[in-house]
Structure formats: C-alpha cells, structure tokens
Amino acid sequence: MLAVDQLQLQHQQSFRFTWLWLDVGTFTAWCNSHLRKAGTQIENIDEDFRDGLKLMLLLEVISGERLPKPERGKMRVHKINNVNKALDFIASKGVKLVSIGAEEIVDGNAKMTLGMIWTIILRFAIQDISVEETSAKEGLLLWCQRKTAPYKNVNVQNFHISWKDGLAFNALIHRHRPELIEYDKLRKDDPVTNLNNAFEVAEKYLDIPKMLDAEDIVNTARPDEKAIMTYVSSFYHAFSGAQKAETAANRICKVLAVNQENEHLMEDYEKLASDLLEWIKRTIPWLEDRVPQKTIQEMQQKLEDFRDYRRVHKPPKVQEKCQLEINFNTLQTKLRLSNRPAFMPSEGKMVSDINNGWQHLEQAEKGYEEWLLNEIRRLERLDHLAEKFRQKASIHESWTEGKEAMLKQKDYETATLSDIKALIRKHEAFESDLAAHQDRVEQIAAIAQELNELDYYDSPSVNARCQKICDQWDVLGSLTHSRREALEKTEKQLETIDQLHLEYAKRAAPFNNWMESAMEDLQDMFIVHTIEEIEGLIAAHDQFKSTLPDADKEREAILGIQSEAQRIADYNNIKLSGNNPYTSVTPQIINSKWERVRQLVPKRDHALLDEQSKQQSNEHLRRQFASQANIVGPWIQTKMQEIGRISIEMNGTLEDQLNHLKQYEQSIVDYKPNIDLLEQQHQLIQEALIFDNKHTNYTMEHIRVGWEQLLTTIARTINEVENQILTRDAKGISQEQMQEFRASFNHFDKDHGGSLGPEEFKACLISLGYDVENDRQGDAEFNRIMSLVDPNNSGIVTFQAFIDFMSRETTDTDTADQVIASFKVLAGDKNYITAEELRRELPPDQAEYCIARMAPYQGPDAIPGALDYKSFSTALYGESDL
C-alpha cells in the first residue's frame, strides 16, 4: 500500500506535464485486454468511460469482485452515480484519489480519466507484485532484473531507456517460453525488429495485446515509464505461474542449503572424532608399556618423555576434545532449529565414546606416572643396595685374603712349646675374629637375596660373588676346625704363654673390629627423603662421636699392654720377635686405623651437612609449591562455583550475557601464568625426586584436572548462551520471551542446579498457562511434553531442553509437507519431477544434489527419468531413509 501511495504522489506532482506526453493507446490496449474477457471493448478512453458502465465492468473483471448494480438511465445524475460507485470501490481498496471526481470523468476530462486509469493499473496490476520483500514498482523492476540477468546485452535499471533496444522484452519471453524466441539471433543494433518480434509473439502466444509502438519507443529519447510499466506488468501476470515456481525453488534451495551445511558439520565431526580417537588409541599402549629399565638414567629419560607428553602433546588434544563437544552441541541445536532429526554419529564415535576413551587415557596416564616414580624409587634402592653389597664384599674379601693359606700352614710341627702355645692363642684370636666376621657374611648374603627379590639387572654377577664368599667362608670354617684339632693335639706339650701378648691380642682384636666397623659405618652410603630422617642420622653420628674419648682411652690401654710387655722383656733381657705371636694387629695398625677413623669423622660431618642442606632445599621447594597450590586450588574451586552461579543468575540480553561470559573466560585465561608457575615448581620438585608434601592436599594432577574442567565448563556455558542466541534468532523469540523463560525456569530451580525435576517442571508449565493438572487429561499432556524435553528418561529437564520446547511451542518451521508442495509447483502438479526441471529451476549445485539423492519414481504415471520428490522430502526431515 505504501508503494502505491508513493507512486501516486510522484505522478500527481508531475500530473500536468506527464499525461500530455503519455501514449493513450497503451492504456486503451490495457483496458481492452481485460474488457475482452467480458465481451466488450473501448475505442476512445475519455468518451467510453463517461457513463461509468464500462468503468465498473473493467473493475469487476480485474478485481474478480461484484460492484453495486449500475444505473442504466441516460441522465447526468445516473452517470455521476455510476462513476462514484466505481471511485468508491477503488477507494475501498486503500487507494487515495486526489483531485479526481466523478464530474470530471462524466465531462470527458482526458487528463483526469487517464490519471484514474493509471491509478487502477497501479492498484490492480502493479501493487500486488512482490519479489523478495519489495513490492509495486520496485518489486516489478527486481523481477525483471532477476529474470533477464543471464542474458547478454540486457541491463534493466529502469522502465524507460533500458527497454529501447527490445532485448529485455525478448529476454523475458525466452526465460519463460524459450521455444517462442530465438534469442541468439537477435541483434542489439536492430531495436525495431527486436521490439516488433516481442510484441507479436506476446500478442499471438501469450494473449498480451500490443500496447506499444516500436517506432515511437526507438525514436523517443526517454520512453514513457508508465506505458512500459503497464505493458511489463502484463508479462508479470502472464508468467505468475512461473513466479510461483521460483518461490517454490527458493524454499527448496533454503531447505537444501540447511541440509548441506548440516552434512558438512557432520563430516567435520566424524573426522575430528576419528582423529582424536586414533590419537587416544595410539597413546594408551605407550602409557600401558611398563617394561622396566636397568638404570635410573633410562627411567628418568622415560619420566622426561612423559613430562614432554604432558606439556606439549596432551594440551592441544584437550582443546580438540572441548571443541568437539561444542561442535556436537551446536550441530544438534541447528538440527533441532531446522526441524531435522538429531545427529547420530557413527558407531564408536559418540561423545560418550570419546569421554570413555579419554577416561581410559587418563587412567593409563595416572598409572604410568605412578609406575615411573615407583620404578625410579626401586632402582634407586637397588643401586644403593648394590653399592653396599660391593663395599661389604670388598671389605670381607680384603679380610679373607691370605687367611686360607695361613690356616693350611703346618708351622706347629717344628715349633717350640712356647711357639705352639703362641700358635694356639693366635688361633683362638683368629676364631674370635672369624666369629666377629660372621655377621658381615650374613649381611652380604641378605643383601644379595634382597637384590634378587627386587630383580636387580646385574643379579648374576652379585650371586656369583656372594656364592664365592660363602664357599670361601665354609672353607675357612673347615680349615679353622682342622687347625684347632692339630694345635690341641700338641697343646699338652706347650706351657709357657705370654699373658701380656695374649691380653693384648684379646683386647686388640675386638677394638680392631670396632674400628673396622666404625670405618665401614662412616663410609656407608645413606639415602633420606625428609629433613627428619637426616636429622636422625646427624643425631646418631653425634652420639657416635661422643664415644670417641672412651675409645681413645681403650686404644691407649691396649697400646700400654704392648709397651708393658716390651718393658718387661727389656728388663729381663728377653729378645722378642718383631710381631706379637698371638695377633696380627700391631700397634701401628691400630694407630693407622684410629687415624683413619679420625679422618673419616669430619668427612661424615660434611656429607651429613650437605644432605641436610639438600633436604632443607627440598623442604623449601615443598613449602613453595604448597604455598602456590593452596592459592590456585581454592581459586579454581571458587571459579567453578561462580560459573555455576552465573549460568543460573544471568541478567540482561543474551548478547550481554555472552560478552560477560567471554570477559569472564578471558579473566580465567589470564590466570594461566599462575598454573605455569606451579608447573615449573612441580618440575623442580620432581627433578629433586621429592615424592610427598605434607604442607598441601593439592597435587599437580588435581590442579591440572581442575584447570581443564574449569576451561571446559566456561566454554560449555558460553556455547549454551550461543545456542540460546541461535535458537532465539532462528525461532524469532524476543529478548523479553527469553528473559521470561529464564525467570520461570530459575524460579522453580530451587537448588540452583541448572535443571528441573518432573514436579518442578510441571509447576513451571502450570505457571506458564499449560493445562497439566493432576487429572487424566493433564497427566497425558504432561507425559507428552516430558517425552519431548526428556527423551532419554533421565528424570531431569535442562534449560536448553526447556528453551527448545518453548521455541517449538511459540514458532513455526518448515515441514516435509511444505517442501513436497514446493516440489509439486516446480513439477507442474505432477507426482514426479525430471532432472531437466530441477536444473532449470534450481541452482546447479543444489539441482545436482537432488538428482543424486532422489529415488526413481515408481508410480503408474511414471515416465523415463522420473524422480520421486515425495520420498526425498520426507527423508530430509527424518520421516524415511534418504
């Protein structure tokens, strides 16, 4: 209506000059093209409409409605009344007639009559033209532009000079009836022939009367716009059926475009899911490979490879998994909005399958890390035990060196009695020494047994060495027993004994053994993990140092015995042999070992202090990590709670909520340096082989899992709002409706959990005006609604499901029946359609899409190449298999 009023105003402003130039014959021909249907016509437009009879008849023909009964009298009042009836009918159609009265028409005023006819043309021939939300003149011009766009040398920009060469008229006819025009033979430089050809074909085959003169159009600098519009509008109405086909084609194109986009999204999901599952499939066997290595260095390399996997390879896959879930939710939302069935991924590629695979991956990852750390501890203990074994074995082998040869000596056969007695005492001292070494042999055997139980990689060499020591020990025991028997056999012949040497030997042997044990303990390796353990070792060492003064007194007493023996010998002029006959432990040996003990004590002090410094450093690392973790952990928990609260208490428009959530997401991302700092501190802890931390309950694994859940949760929340925007825009839901839905949902979501139970949902529906009271009819309606919002019978209704339901209740969508009706228009009311018709009416890619998927038509009226568009349309909406 606005377009007609604007056109009327424009033409009324130029009324005085326009109608003088207008081709009256065009309007006359247009009127006769309609009056011919009633069996009459006019010759003089200003004379034949004066009595109002043919004017009323013209209006009845073009409107299809009955006007009031005309008056047949010849008087002027009768004519005025008839014209007024016609003008009242025109005004009833919303047309404002300015400066046009019945008296001017009855008086034969040509300008007023032509203005009235142009108003009728605008209202009944041009106003109803509508193309892509434009109407009247703009709609008719757009229709011409679209129909002639594929033709060369045709550029329709107006209703005057764009039509002078005649090609545009021929293009319109050829576009709809290509068999009537040989367009390729037309020449732009022959406009008269082109125009006459179009006018003759239109009059002969399309029942459009010749309203224009070719020579007048060519010879006029600017042909009359109203005449061209009037004539072109006849083409539009003649081809209105084709316009309906175009509208149907547009609907099909829209449906197919949605379907193609969804298929692309499905293909993208399948590929991304396949790639992620393949990566998980490749990674899990690597994490489940628990073949132990022989050395700590090899296991530490495995640990470094695992850290590299955690830092470099896994984070992108976490992002891909999150993006996959977002893409899946977006796709399902688009399918629901376009009234399509839900997307069901290939077997094994559901989001749940990916989550199960991911859970298996994280379980394998946790087990692999625990195994690595335990294996490093085991190898560390094995190295410690192996070194301890080698040290004790070396000491023992050093002690046993020459002992077997000594026990095999037969020096007692030629010795004097005093010598024999000395040999007996010496042998007794040796037996005492042998018994003292029994503990060391047992320790060596126990360490070897433990190394075997712990699967030490060099167990064969350890076993061989231990076996050699045990065999030698058995030989020494046997030889000792044999020698004692031989000495005891001749003991009766020996009487003299040097008590002092004997006392010296008896006291020197255990003291010597104590010094050897002390040197062994002072050189013993140690491994600790806490500051308390090293402080315990330091305390034990301090206690050992406190015994040194007493030991020194014992040493001086033993040396005093040897000095006393020498003094007595000197006093009695007794010549003693160079060595004590009862022991091989000389004062020089005692002094040498004592000096060695004194040297080892400060070295042990330094070693313990170094270890104490190391453990203090480790304790600092523990406290440093704990301090940061005790901040980051609660921060992540707080943010998770805030996200849950934000998702429930969102205010403002969805766009405001989305911007707020993205700003909130950025604030979370900006916190990432704190996580990185914690990772660096955690790496220092692992490199220091620190396995526990009593200062915090948070582990790096807890922090990582919490951080990944936080990122995933905010991304899902943003995706939910984006899907709500998509739902709102696609379904035409206003912001006020969305806020009303949100307010209703939140009101009944008592626990703020983001979902409603059945009773809460029923109360919400009742508050919105649904009849779901507790009676048979209400229960049936409620069960129907629950099957829509909770198809899996989970017992809860999410906000997204609630929004989907409310959007379906308040909006309309394309249906399979609408698409079938559109195809039927393209097919000319046939039950099938041909490939040629599809290619003519649809864009090439969508035409080929339909041809490739439509099944052959099997009906009784089928022709070769007939395609079944009905089964194809129902398949688009999941009502059959495509």
Side-chain angles (χ1 to χ4, degrees):
M1 184 64 67
L2 180 60
V4 174
D5 293 341
Q6 290 173 340
L7 285 173
Q8 285 180 319
L9 179 60
Q10 175 185 345
H11 292 300
Q12 288 163 2
Q13 289 173 345
S14 59
F15 181 77
R16 178 172 302 178
F17 307 101
T18 302
W19 303 118
L20 296 176
W21 187 85
L22 181 65
D23 187 352
V24 177
T26 300
F27 283 4
T28 302
W30 183 85
C31 292
N32 284 332
S33 68
H34 294 286
L35 289 172
R36 198 161 39 241
K37 300 176 184 177
T40 185
Q41 61 181 6
I42 62 174
E43 293 181 359
N44 191 322
I45 196 167
D46 54 339
E47 289 294 327
D48 292 345
F49 285 142
R50 292 179 63 184
D51 60 1
L53 295 176
K54 289 185 178 181
L55 179 59
M56 294 178 69
L57 182 61
L58 175 63
L59 291 172
E60 287 183 344
V61 171
I62 63 178
S63 67
E65 299 179 22
R66 297 292 296 177
L67 271 70
K69 185 176 180 181
E71 298 179 11
R72 299 292 180 176
K74 300 295 184 177
M75 298 178 63
R76 177 179 175 83
V77 66
H78 296 149
K79 296 178 182 181
I80 291 174
N81 288 339
N82 288 338
V83 173
N84 276 327
K85 290 177 181 180
L87 295 179
D88 291 339
F89 178 80
I90 295 172
S92 70
K93 297 302 179 181
V95 178
K96 296 180 181 179
L97 298 172
V98 181
S99 302
I100 299 177
E103 291 79 4
E104 286 83 0
I105 305 301
V106 173
D107 293 338
N109 187 319
K111 294 180 182 178
M112 293 300 175
T113 302
L114 290 174
M116 178 189 67
I117 297 302
W118 176 238
T119 300
I120 293 172
I121 293 172
L122 285 177
R123 173 58 183 85
F124 295 98
I126 297 177
Q127 177 184 339
D128 292 336
I129 297 173
S130 177
V131 178
E132 293 186 1
E133 300 182 356
T134 62
S135 59
K137 177 180 177 181
E138 290 79 12
L140 183 60
L141 181 62
L142 179 58
W143 178 79
C144 295
Q145 290 172 340
R146 288 189 56 190
K147 293 301 181 181
T148 60
Y151 294 87
K152 62 181 180 180
N153 296 326
V154 177
N155 183 19
V156 177
Q157 298 297 327
N158 49 57
F159 286 108
H160 37 80
I161 61 175
S162 295
W163 304 83
K164 285 188 66 174
D165 58 8
L167 292 177
F169 290 108
N170 285 278
L172 281 179
I173 297 172
H174 184 268
R175 178 64 184 271
H176 296 90
R177 297 287 299 275
E179 74 277 9
L180 300 180
I181 297 290
E182 293 181 344
Y183 186 85
D184 293 336
K185 294 183 179 181
L186 300 177
R187 292 165 37 204
K188 186 175 180 65
D189 59 355
D190 191 5
V192 174
T193 301
N194 298 340
L195 289 166
N196 283 326
N197 180 66
F199 296 162
E200 291 169 4
V201 169
E203 186 173 35
K204 183 176 181 179
Y205 296 102
L206 304 178
D207 199 26
I208 298 175
K210 185 177 180 182
M211 301 181 187
L212 304 173
D213 183 81
E215 285 75 16
D216 288 346
I217 293 176
V218 172
N219 296 328
T220 303
R222 188 176 187 276
D224 180 69
E225 186 180 49
K226 302 175 185 61
I228 299 295
M229 284 178 62
T230 302
Y231 188 58
V232 171
S233 68
S234 298
F235 284 89
Y236 175 88
H237 291 290
F239 297 135
S240 59
Q243 179 66 22
K244 293 179 180 179
E246 181 179 351
T247 302
N250 288 338
R251 177 182 289 274
I252 293 172
C253 290
K254 176 183 176 183
V255 171
L256 294 179
V258 171
N259 213 61
Q260 288 173 310
E261 180 185 3
N262 291 339
E263 287 184 358
H264 288 318
L265 291 175
M266 294 174 189
E267 292 171 0
D268 292 341
Y269 173 88
E270 290 283 338
K271 183 179 185 305
L272 188 56
S274 298
D275 293 344
L276 187 57
L277 287 171
E278 180 61 26
W279 178 81
I280 293 173
K281 184 178 179 182
R282 290 196 313 269
T283 305
I284 287 178
W286 175 69
L287 293 173
E288 291 179 344
D289 180 16
R290 308 293 166 81
V291 178
Q293 301 299 312
K294 294 181 179 179
T295 65
I296 290 181
Q297 291 73 22
E298 293 173 322
M299 288 305 299
Q300 285 178 338
Q301 182 58 48
K302 275 184 169 288
L303 181 61
E304 184 60 31
D305 293 341
F306 179 72
R307 291 171 182 161
D308 187 66
Y309 154 80
R310 276 270 182 82
R311 291 192 303 265
V312 178
H313 300 290
K314 185 182 178 184
K317 298 303 178 182
V318 173
Q319 189 65 29
E320 287 179 15
K321 176 176 176 291
C322 178
Q323 189 61 44
L324 186 73
E325 294 179 1
I326 291 174
N327 292 350
F328 180 84
N329 293 334
T330 301
L331 173 60
Q332 297 293 39
T333 299
K334 289 186 175 182
L335 289 172
R336 287 194 300 270
L337 294 178
S338 58
N339 206 20
R340 266 54 166 195
F343 168 57
M344 182 63 64
S346 301
E347 185 176 357
K349 297 180 182 178
M350 295 285 291
V351 172
S352 60
D353 295 326
I354 295 171
N355 287 334
N356 290 336
W358 192 264
Q359 185 178 6
H360 187 190
L361 174 74
E362 292 187 334
Q363 290 174 350
E365 180 180 309
K366 181 180 179 182
Y368 186 70
E369 185 178 28
E370 292 175 352
W371 174 76
L372 283 175
L373 296 177
N374 290 334
E375 192 64 18
I376 289 174
R377 293 191 191 102
R378 184 183 72 84
L379 290 176
E380 186 180 30
R381 175 164 177 76
L382 281 176
D383 284 353
H384 172 68
L385 287 175
E387 183 60 27
K388 192 171 185 178
F389 172 85
R390 287 190 289 270
Q391 187 180 29
K392 287 184 177 292
S394 296
I395 294 173
H396 177 78
E397 289 166 348
S398 176
W399 177 83
T400 59
E401 184 177 358
K403 295 295 190 296
E404 186 174 345
M406 179 198 70
L407 292 173
K408 290 180 179 180
Q409 288 179 357
K410 295 185 178 181
D411 52 345
Y412 56 85
E413 293 180 349
T414 58
T416 63
L417 181 60
S418 61
D419 292 334
I420 291 300
K421 290 187 176 291
L423 289 175
I424 290 174
R425 299 297 182 268
K426 182 178 179 181
H427 188 71
E428 289 176 349
F430 173 77
E431 285 181 329
S432 177
D433 198 11
L434 186 68
H437 279 79
Q438 177 69 32
D439 289 339
R440 182 179 292 113
V441 175
E442 292 175 355
Q443 290 174 7
I444 290 172
I447 293 172
Q449 178 63 27
E450 188 171 2
L451 287 172
N452 278 278
E453 291 173 354
L454 294 176
D455 196 23
Y456 182 55
Y457 78 95
D458 200 22
S459 291
S461 65
V462 170
N463 293 336
R465 191 172 184 182
C466 180
Q467 187 63 43
K468 182 179 179 181
I469 290 173
C470 291
D471 292 343
Q472 187 184 35
W473 185 256
D474 292 338
V475 171
L476 288 176
S478 178
L479 291 174
T480 300
H481 180 71
S482 299
R483 185 171 177 83
R484 168 171 278 279
E485 287 181 345
L487 291 173
E488 287 177 349
K489 184 177 181 181
T490 58
E491 184 181 11
K492 294 178 181 180
Q493 303 170 8
L494 304 177
E495 294 179 354
T496 306
I497 185 170
D498 189 346
Q499 292 296 328
L500 289 175
H501 281 185
L502 180 59
E503 183 180 358
Y504 171 89
K506 288 183 177 180
R507 294 181 67 174
F511 185 73
N512 180 65
N513 189 58
W514 175 84
M515 287 191 297
E516 289 181 348
S517 298
M519 288 189 293
E520 183 179 345
D521 291 340
L522 289 172
Q523 298 178 83
D524 191 16
M525 295 179 62
F526 56 84
I527 178 171
V528 295
H529 295 98
T530 65
I531 191 69
E532 291 79 7
E533 293 177 357
I534 188 62
E535 289 175 350
L537 290 178
I538 292 174
H541 182 63
D542 290 340
Q543 184 179 3
F544 167 77
K545 289 192 294 185
S546 68
T547 65
L548 291 179
D550 292 337
D552 191 33
K553 291 179 182 179
E554 177 66 12
R555 179 183 67 85
E556 291 176 352
I558 292 172
L559 295 178
I561 294 173
Q562 179 65 23
S563 299
E564 180 65 15
Q566 185 64 44
R567 187 188 66 78
I568 294 173
D570 293 341
Y571 182 77
N572 294 291
N573 297 318
I574 299 173
K575 187 176 182 180
L576 299 175
S577 62
N579 296 324
N580 189 321
Y582 303 112
T583 181
S584 60
V585 180
T586 65
Q588 292 77 16
I589 291 175
I590 291 177
N591 287 330
S592 175
K593 290 184 178 180
W594 177 255
E595 185 62 28
R596 178 62 177 159
V597 169
R598 292 183 61 190
Q599 291 174 355
L600 289 175
V601 167
K603 290 184 178 180
R604 185 72 166 183
D605 286 335
H606 291 314
L608 291 173
L609 290 176
D610 289 343
E611 183 62 28
Q612 184 182 36
S613 176
K614 175 185 174 182
Q615 290 303 322
Q616 288 173 345
S617 175
N618 289 352
E619 183 68 10
H620 173 70
L621 290 176
R622 288 188 184 97
R623 293 180 181 275
Q624 179 178 263
F625 176 84
S627 176
Q628 184 69 7
N630 289 336
I631 294 174
V632 173
W635 184 88
I636 291 176
Q637 294 172 352
T638 300
K639 292 301 177 183
M640 288 291 290
Q641 295 171 358
E642 289 180 358
I643 291 173
R645 186 171 65 254
I646 290 173
S647 64
I648 294 174
E649 301 175 356
M650 286 194 249
N651 297 315
T653 66
L654 290 177
E655 285 76 7
D656 293 340
Q657 297 171 16
L658 182 60
N659 290 334
H660 177 63
L661 285 172
K662 287 185 175 180
Q663 292 173 0
Y664 197 82
E665 181 186 38
Q666 185 60 44
S667 70
I668 293 175
V669 173
D670 292 341
Y671 197 75
K672 183 64 164 58
N674 294 279
I675 305 298
D676 296 338
L677 175 60
L678 204 58
E679 286 282 6
Q680 295 171 4
Q681 295 172 350
H682 179 65
Q683 182 172 351
L684 293 176
I685 283 180
Q686 289 198 324
E687 289 172 352
L689 297 179
I690 299 172
F691 304 111
D692 54 7
N693 193 337
K694 65 182 180 180
H695 303 295
T696 180
N697 293 326
Y698 294 100
T699 66
M700 197 62 229
E701 182 63 25
H702 293 152
I703 298 298
R704 290 192 193 104
V705 171
W707 179 252
E708 293 170 1
Q709 289 178 348
L710 180 62
L711 293 177
T712 301
T713 300
I714 187 62
R716 286 174 177 167
T717 304
I718 290 174
N719 180 248
E720 288 179 0
V721 177
E722 290 174 339
N723 286 340
Q724 291 176 27
I725 293 174
L726 189 62
T727 300
R728 181 199 66 191
D729 295 341
K731 298 296 187 178
I733 299 175
S734 67
Q735 182 66 36
E736 290 74 13
Q737 287 178 303
M738 290 295 291
Q739 291 178 346
E740 180 184 356
F741 295 159
R742 167 61 75 180
S744 298
F745 189 89
N746 289 344
H747 176 75
F748 292 97
D749 184 13
K750 302 300 184 182
D751 60 355
H752 303 294
S755 62
L756 300 179
E759 293 302 321
E760 293 173 331
F761 182 55
K762 177 181 283 189
C764 181
L765 290 176
I766 293 173
S767 72
L768 293 173
Y770 285 84
D771 186 9
V772 290
E773 297 290 347
N774 293 325
D775 54 33
R776 179 177 299 178
Q777 182 177 356
D779 291 342
E781 175 64 11
F782 180 70
N783 291 334
R784 180 190 71 81
I785 296 175
M786 282 298 293
S787 67
L788 296 176
V789 298
D790 184 23
N792 297 324
N793 295 322
S794 61
I796 61 172
V797 179
T798 65
F799 181 67
Q800 186 60 44
F802 177 70
I803 288 296
D804 289 342
F805 168 73
M806 295 305 299
S807 64
R808 285 196 299 269
E809 292 291 305
T810 57
T811 60
D812 191 16
T813 58
D814 290 323
T815 65
D817 291 339
Q818 291 175 327
V819 176
I820 291 173
S822 298
F823 272 117
K824 191 167 186 178
V825 172
L826 296 186
D829 286 336
K830 299 191 298 292
N831 291 325
Y832 58 86
I833 194 167
T834 65
E836 180 182 358
E837 291 171 332
L838 288 171
R839 290 189 177 103
R840 186 178 68 231
E841 300 297 343
L842 299 180
D845 59 334
Q846 296 185 342
E848 298 304 325
Y849 177 84
C850 293
I851 294 169
R853 287 165 171 74
M854 281 188 182
Y857 177 68
Q858 304 294 338
D861 54 342
I863 64 172
L867 300 174
D868 187 353
Y869 60 79
K870 293 183 178 178
S871 64
F872 173 79
S873 299
T874 56
L876 288 177
Y877 290 86
E879 299 176 13
S880 65
D881 295 331
L882 185 58

